[in-house]
Amino acid sequence: SRALNNITSVDATTVAALSTAGVGAGGGVVGLTADGAITAADPIILTDTGEAASVAIATPPLDDTEWNSNAIEKNSILYHKTNNKYIAIYVNGSDIDYKVGTISSGGSVSWSAGATLSSGRSDRYAAIYNPSENLVIFIQPDSSHDNPVIRKYSLSGNTLTDEGSAITSSLQGTVYFTMCYHPYSQTVFCCYVSDATNLYGVRIKNTGGFSATDVNLTALAIRPAGVAASATNDNVFVYYREASTAGSTYISRASISSSGVLGNFGYSYQVGNYQHRPTGLAVNADNILVANFFDQTDGNNSKYIRWNIGAGGITEIASSNLPTGSYPIIATEPNTGTIYVTYRDSGALKQFTLDTSSTVSESAETTIVSSNVASLQSNLYISQITSYAGSKQPFSYTTTSDTTSRSRTLPAPSSNLTSTNLLGLASETKADGESVDIAVIGSTVGGYTGLTIGALYYVQTDGTITTSSTDAQLIGKAISATKILITQV
């Protein structure tokens, strides 16, 4: 704001100081250490540690911590959202034990010693976290390995405490259990088999007491592959196969009202005959249901069912990523509503997402564990693949090298751009750890193509620069087809 008159010459040090201060038409340049690789013209943020990083969608590191020294496939890994802890529930001889994992700021997990949750009963069980009341719901046959008993537990420190009011159903010969949380009604839905012939749905109410309702689905159905629930309406779904080789595979739909009333099921869709082996299902944020199965009549190729719940219409699509005969985990990441597919492939653990906007298309695969993966929750009919609730969706796998079980959480990709950390545009390309110059307000940065002269340009959450202002931040104005004048950060 000051006039500089009668200056005949300045030295290089003065010029650099004026530029750094933002004085003059050239604007300012700030020198910082690069946090990650930076490419010239990238939008740049100032990190919490005072370094420069390119604006990007970042995938948080997956927690990967040994929680047991034995290869235990019968387990459920829950995430307790309020306490920000994992709970590993697993079969240990004739007992069902648990451990609690405390997450550090760096993503590692320290696990408590094992404690007994249930002793001397069946190894068939299901467990899930109910985030609306911060309770762990646990279901298991009684001491005679017969009638199912439902209990609720609270978590304090590393201890699960039985809250009492256990419910015992009169149904006999219970075999398989699988559960999910229904956000719309804030209740837990459990599906299980009675007398090895009948499939039942149980709504576990979590307000105004603790109760359950049995709804008979069908006879001769003893292979529930999973349950899923919509986050925005009353729909719940069961995916199952009838026991008889002459039977069929179905997805059945019911409803749980906002007050917790469970409506009757119907055969909503027949996936195929007994040779179509169901493996899992999930519902995304747009109420598109995706179910996976492998087709024994077609070389065990993996296929999807896409069901537009609101508009109707069911289509079948072949998978191009999944190996034949695979049992993937199909799960919805609860923050974004994105459907993730996680699976074992020749000793590696891989993952991709599904785009269900018009059909079912698979993203590029990401390898999250490169080798030594022996199994991925392969005991399909316990409860593991549907025991998800909260803001993380953990699962476990066993390794071949050290026969340990480890837990990983489903990542929730998010932008590193906030409302206050946008700094400017990179003036040069630098590697991680190198010093990099960042152009700030008043500077002009080139290297772009196809800009509209005079148009305002905004930094998007994924680091791209466009004229759209939706969920984006203004960076400057185009003064040519290749240059942006930084006017605001």
Side-chain angles (χ1 to χ4, degrees), residues 7-24:
I7 295 177
T8 58
S9 65
V10 293
D11 59 18
T13 301
T14 304
V15 172
L18 290 172
S19 178
T20 300
V23 177

Side-chain angles (χ1 to χ4, degrees), residues 142-306:
D142 62 16
S143 57
S144 63
H145 305 274
D146 207 344
N147 308 79
V149 179
I150 304 168
R151 292 180 173 86
K152 58 181 180 179
Y153 294 85
S154 59
L155 177 66
S156 178
N158 293 331
T159 302
L160 287 174
T161 301
D162 191 340
E163 294 295 304
S165 302
I167 300 170
T168 301
S169 171
S170 60
L171 296 173
Q172 303 293 309
T174 52
V175 183
Y176 303 114
F177 300 96
T178 186
M179 303 173 80
C180 70
Y181 174 68
H182 186 217
Y184 180 80
S185 64
Q186 298 185 342
T187 61
V188 166
F189 175 71
C190 176
C191 178
Y192 64 90
V193 175
S194 176
D195 288 328
T197 57
N198 295 299
L199 195 65
Y200 282 82
V202 177
R203 180 265 297 153
I204 304 169
K205 191 174 182 180
N206 68 328
T207 57
F210 190 65
S211 60
T213 301
D214 296 333
V215 176
N216 178 240
L217 295 181
T218 183
L220 301 177
I222 67 166
R223 292 293 185 271
V227 291
S230 168
T232 58
N233 63 36
D234 61 4
N235 291 158
V236 291
F237 302 87
V238 175
Y239 195 16
Y240 64 94
R241 185 179 71 161
E242 290 183 326
S244 169
T245 55
S248 299
T249 297
Y250 294 94
I251 301 173
S252 290
R253 176 170 62 179
S255 63
I256 303 180
S257 70
S258 57
S259 60
V261 177
L262 176 60
N264 288 329
F265 279 82
Y267 295 149
S268 297
Y269 181 69
Q270 181 176 334
V271 176
N273 59 32
Y274 186 78
Q275 304 303 312
H276 291 181
R277 295 181 66 107
T279 62
L281 76 167
V283 181
N284 73 1
D286 298 320
N287 282 314
I288 303 297
L289 181 144
V290 176
N292 179 261
F293 67 95
F294 67 84
D295 188 347
Q296 293 177 295
T297 64
D298 185 21
N300 283 341
N301 286 325
S302 287
K303 298 179 180 180
Y304 300 106
I305 295 295
R306 179 188 182 275

Side-chain angles (χ1 to χ4, degrees), residues 70-73 372-376 396-400 404-406:
N70 296 307
I72 299 173
E73 294 184 358
N372 292 333
V373 177
S375 65
L376 174 62
S396 73
Y397 63 95
T398 61
T399 65
T400 56
T404 60
S405 298
R406 296 177 180 268

Side-chain angles (χ1 to χ4, degrees), residues 58-81:
T59 299
L62 295 174
D63 301 331
D64 188 0
T65 307
E66 176 187 335
W67 62 268
N68 204 293
S69 59
N70 296 307
I72 299 173
E73 294 184 358
K74 295 181 179 180
N75 64 75
S76 294
I77 309 293
L78 314 180
Y79 174 68
H80 195 289
K81 182 177 181 180

Side-chain angles (χ1 to χ4, degrees), residues 129 150 216 272 278 319 328 358 368 388 405:
Y129 169 67
I150 304 168
N216 178 240
S319 168
S358 58
I368 55 180
Y388 307 123
S405 298

